[in-house]
Amino acid sequence: MKVISTEYSQILAARLAKASGFDLVDVRFSRFPDGELYLKTGQTGDEVLVVGSVADSDALVQLILLMDACRGAEITLILPYLGYARQDKQFSPGEPLSARAIAGILSGGISRAIVVNVHDPGVLRFFGIPVQSLSLAPEIGRYLKDAGFREPLILAPDDGAALFAAEVAAVNGWDSDHLEKTRISSEEVSMSPRKLCAESRDVVIVDDIISTGGTLATAARLLYEQGARNVYAACVHGVFAGGAYSHLIASGVREVYCSDTLERGCSVYSAAGVIADGISRC
Ligand code: R5P
């Protein structure tokens, strides 16, 4: 078995190869003069783990090209971040069901896939092949253990992420809760923890994705108003669209942590170990 990756997941792929004891395949990436993507791989062998986050449209095309270059080998596709997964319904007539479209393209010619904290596991049915769904919640819990928090409270920004927050907190026996949003007027909302008080506590808001950062910035502001001592943010997939990282720090979030499913400067925990365990169970 060998590990090969797109440019977008090269650090995670190298960590995965090390964690699982497999060789990493060398790949060179470039573009044709007209801007089209090109790549060339070294020897892949009979079985290969193809690693590629669908970070954006170029990442998707690069992944499709890489899978084609590996044709003939048995491919296990590792999707650390499955972009396009949030358009998981036709919300109004005329829209694509993007998650279905992307899953259909990516599942051709492969035997199985692995995803990490996909936004809604319901989209996995679109792949039509076995897909193993992994969670980084325990990994995040282990990382936060040594951060030196005082009276830590792990908080989900909505009830959809409440189980995720509970799994992060459980690693260290900490409290967890989720925020409840109350609309005060058409322009004003209030948010507060459903059961527990944030006053004088170090609060870590955890979520699967930070995209624009709007959800967490609003939550951080309201938690400070309620007397939180410090607010931190931890997620799996650090998308950070439109300057989200700066927006969070400017909103008073002390530190922002994410994993290497998207390779960022604040990727402080890795999905490699969880994926290596998942592969060993396949
Ligand atoms: C929503 O259900 C997700 O779990 C995230 O809370 C959301 O995608 C975050 O988006 P943003 O950072 O743009 O507020």
Side-chain angles (χ1 to χ4, degrees):
M1 183 91 85
K2 293 192 178 187
V3 180
I4 193 166
S5 85
T6 65
E7 264 180 308
Y8 297 82
S9 296
Q10 52 188 309
I11 298 172
L12 173 56
R15 289 174 177 151
L16 174 61
K18 194 171 177 188
S20 47
F22 301 138
D23 288 338
L24 186 66
V25 181
D26 195 8
V27 195
R28 309 305 298 167
F29 301 94
S30 59
R31 285 182 188 264
F32 288 105
D34 61 2
E36 289 180 359
L37 296 167
Y38 172 82
L39 59 83
K40 185 169 173 55
T41 80
Q43 285 294 320
T44 55
D46 296 337
E47 272 187 275
V48 65
L49 302 173
V50 175
V51 189
S53 278
V54 181
D56 58 26
S57 302
D58 272 1
L60 174 64
V61 173
Q62 207 174 68
L63 183 56
I64 293 166
L65 298 179
L66 186 61
M67 289 164 70
D68 193 77
C70 294
R71 253 168 31 150
E74 189 184 329
I75 296 174
T76 297
L77 178 61
I78 315 285
L79 293 161
Y81 172 63
L82 178 60
Y84 288 93
R86 283 181 291 171
Q87 178 74 19
D88 55 4
K89 290 183 190 67
Q90 279 180 307
F91 295 94
S92 62
E95 286 185 348
L97 208 171
S98 308
R100 179 181 60 197
I102 301 303
I105 293 167
L106 294 179
S107 48
I110 62 168
S111 40
R112 58 185 174 151
I114 292 178
V115 297
V116 180
N117 290 100
V118 68
H119 183 65
D120 172 7
V123 304
L124 303 181
R125 70 185 186 284
F126 297 131
F127 280 83
I129 51 164
V131 184
Q132 195 181 358
S133 180
L134 304 174
S135 175
L136 284 196
E139 197 64 32
I140 296 175
R142 282 191 286 276
Y143 177 82
L144 296 178
K145 179 172 187 277
D146 299 321
F149 298 131
R150 287 189 286 172
E151 296 184 66
L153 171 61
I154 306 296
L155 207 54
D158 51 41
D159 59 353
L163 179 61
F164 181 69
E167 287 169 355
V168 171
V171 174
N172 305 310
W174 291 343
D175 290 339
S176 73
D177 197 358
H178 69 268
L179 288 171
E180 267 190 337
K181 190 160 72 174
T182 311
R183 183 155 293 286
I184 298 165
S185 67
S186 56
E187 274 113 48
E188 217 183 335
V189 292
S190 83
M191 275 183 186
S192 55
R194 193 169 68 97
K195 300 181 305 230
L196 301 169
C197 180
E199 195 174 347
S200 305
R201 302 186 74 162
D202 286 342
V203 180
V204 188
I205 313 174
V206 297
D207 208 351
D208 57 341
I209 300 172
I210 297 176
S211 182
T212 65
T215 307
L216 267 63
T218 305
R221 189 168 43 79
L222 293 165
L223 288 163
Y224 280 124
E225 280 171 18
Q226 289 163 14
R229 181 188 286 126
N230 292 299
V231 178
Y232 301 82
C235 70
V236 177
H237 312 297
V239 174
F240 304 133
Y245 185 91
S246 319
H247 181 46
L248 288 172
I249 298 296
S251 304
V253 175
R254 304 283 184 235
E255 296 281 350
V256 180
Y257 312 112
C258 72
S259 81
D260 54 5
T261 58
L262 293 167
E263 296 175 351
R264 309 295 189 211
C266 59
S267 296
V268 291
Y269 30 82
S270 177
V274 170
I275 296 171
D277 286 350
I279 291 161
S280 68
R281 288 198 305 271
C282 282

